[in-house]
Amino acid sequence: MKKKILICGGGGFIGHHLAKRLHKEGHKVVVVDLKMQNEYANKDDYCSAYLPGDLTTEWVWNELNDIYGGFDEVYQLAADMGGAGYIFTGENDLNVMTNSAMINLHAVKWAVKWKSKVFYSSSACMYPAYNQEDPNNPKCSENSAYPAAPDSEYGWEKLFSERLYLTANRNAGLDVRIARFHNIFGPEGTWDGGKEKAPAALCRKIAKALDGGEIEIWGPGTQTRSFLYIDECVEAILRLMQSDFLGPVNVGSEEMIAINDLAQMIIKISNKNLSVVNVSGPVGVMGRNSDNHLIREKLHWEPSMRLEDGIKLTYNWIKSQIK
């Protein structure tokens, strides 16, 4: 059955990839984003309509209601966020918390009114920092979220909004699905400007570096993460929406890697001879890795793409952007 779908933040990285998949399946996809357009894709290729607008404001939601009268599904991916250089400096905390919380308060209100089915994109950043001090043994199972102690205000807001959507489910019958994303990466994502994530930042540094030179990495480089390719993320979102499981559930890879090792992987792909210099900078927790036991149990699914394969596609795309 073809659906009328709203994607909040659909001009962003994950949002426009998701919109492209749903648009290709024949659904009427309406995108709202603070940006005037996605930098890397023609909007006609991934949505039926694109509305530039600030989702923290009531008038955008009123306009959506006036034009479309409601939606079968709402995918809420809009947030004030970025990589470590944006999230962990402390300089953007007020914007991160207020802007994202306002978007979600509006989204819940209107989704209840429209009787929409809602997907909410939470983050692994909401997991307690005390469970992620050992880079080799991080604990990020869904049931480890409490006692709460996220390592950033971004994580605190995600935790609040999870509870907001679950409360709307209990008290107002909102049909909601919640996923906790673990470092999604791939082509057509932010790769410079300060809001890029680690894979994109490393790909950019290595692509720009002269053979025989060096690149800088924030922190000791022993901090670990897992990274999920964008196509796998989109597949997990749609499988969750088609299921009867509310979540929250991790959406990520279990292929954990140290940041220095990730850099060496990209250097190998680049065919350059480069050295790594570790420098002081924001790093977040020392270890984070998706625990996929619950998603395997509930959705009978897990990602299949190797990290190196996804990184190769991403590096080649970023290299082409630099050229």
Side-chain angles (χ1 to χ4, degrees), residues 153-224:
E153 303 308 324
Y154 175 75
W156 279 107
E157 189 281 324
K158 287 295 187 183
L159 190 61
F160 162 79
S161 291
E162 282 189 11
R163 298 184 70 92
L164 171 67
Y165 283 96
L166 291 172
T167 300
N169 171 262
R170 293 195 304 270
N171 294 167
L174 182 66
D175 193 6
V176 66
R177 303 291 183 272
I178 300 171
R180 294 170 177 165
F181 290 159
H182 286 251
N183 296 305
I184 314 303
F185 77 101
E188 298 181 0
T190 302
W191 56 272
D192 66 353
K195 286 193 172 185
E196 66 276 14
K197 301 291 185 68
L202 290 174
C203 286
R204 182 197 73 244
K205 290 180 179 181
I206 291 166
K208 285 187 171 184
L210 297 176
D211 197 20
E214 62 183 33
I215 63 163
E216 293 184 345
I217 291 181
W218 290 343
T222 55
Q223 63 269 31
T224 55

Side-chain angles (χ1 to χ4, degrees), residues 31-199:
V31 163
V32 181
D33 200 285
L34 191 61
K35 298 190 294 188
M36 292 301 294
Q37 61 184 17
N38 181 275
E39 306 95 312
Y40 309 114
N42 185 335
K43 64 177 180 291
D44 294 334
D45 294 335
Y46 65 89
C47 63
S48 306
Y50 189 108
L51 177 64
D54 185 349
L55 287 161
T56 68
T57 62
E58 184 73 20
W59 76 265
V60 172
W61 295 92
N62 280 318
E63 187 166 343
L64 286 167
N65 187 62
D66 291 343
I67 296 172
Y68 299 103
F71 297 88
D72 300 306
E73 294 181 351
V74 175
Y75 292 80
Q76 203 319 73
L77 298 106
D80 194 331
M81 55 86 69
Y86 187 78
I87 294 298
F88 297 122
T89 62
E91 297 171 1
N92 307 294
D93 287 350
L94 182 60
N95 285 338
V96 164
M97 295 199 80
T98 56
N99 290 338
S100 298
M102 284 297 296
I103 293 169
N104 287 311
L105 289 165
H106 286 306
V108 165
K109 171 186 169 181
W110 285 98
V112 168
K113 180 175 181 177
W114 294 331
K115 295 181 172 58
S116 305
K117 188 174 187 177
V118 180
F119 171 82
Y120 173 59
S121 59
S122 185
S123 167
C125 290
M126 50 68 58
Y127 282 116
Y130 57 76
N131 281 341
Q132 301 171 85
E133 295 173 355
D134 182 349
N136 297 312
N137 295 289
K139 183 178 181 182
C140 292
S141 57
E142 289 83 354
N143 61 6
S144 71
Y146 298 91
D151 67 346
S152 64
E153 303 308 324
Y154 175 75
W156 279 107
E157 189 281 324
K158 287 295 187 183
L159 190 61
F160 162 79
S161 291
E162 282 189 11
R163 298 184 70 92
L164 171 67
Y165 283 96
L166 291 172
T167 300
N169 171 262
R170 293 195 304 270
N171 294 167
L174 182 66
D175 193 6
V176 66
R177 303 291 183 272
I178 300 171
R180 294 170 177 165
F181 290 159
H182 286 251
N183 296 305
I184 314 303
F185 77 101
E188 298 181 0
T190 302
W191 56 272
D192 66 353
K195 286 193 172 185
E196 66 276 14
K197 301 291 185 68

Side-chain angles (χ1 to χ4, degrees), residues 252-318:
S253 167
E254 291 182 316
E255 189 179 347
M256 189 171 71
I257 189 170
I259 298 300
N260 274 357
D261 291 337
L262 177 63
Q264 293 299 333
M265 176 187 290
I266 302 170
I267 290 170
K268 181 181 177 183
I269 290 168
S270 74
N271 291 316
K272 293 182 180 181
N273 179 25
L274 300 173
S275 57
V276 169
V277 178
N278 294 100
V279 299
S280 177
V283 297
V285 296
M286 286 305 297
R288 177 171 291 152
N289 188 33
S290 183
D291 182 323
N292 286 351
H293 286 86
L294 189 61
I295 198 167
R296 282 194 291 267
E297 175 191 337
K298 297 296 185 180
L299 302 187
H300 309 292
W301 178 87
E302 60 184 325
S304 58
M305 178 177 275
R306 296 187 313 146
L307 175 61
E308 185 173 359
D309 295 334
I311 289 292
K312 188 176 296 184
L313 292 170
T314 306
Y315 176 80
N316 289 333
W317 178 81
I318 290 175

Side-chain angles (χ1 to χ4, degrees), residues 9-28:
F13 171 49
I14 299 174
H16 93 273
H17 279 278
L18 174 64
K20 187 185 298 183
R21 169 80 177 266
L22 291 167
H23 182 67
K24 186 177 180 180
E25 291 178 358
H27 302 292
K28 181 174 183 178

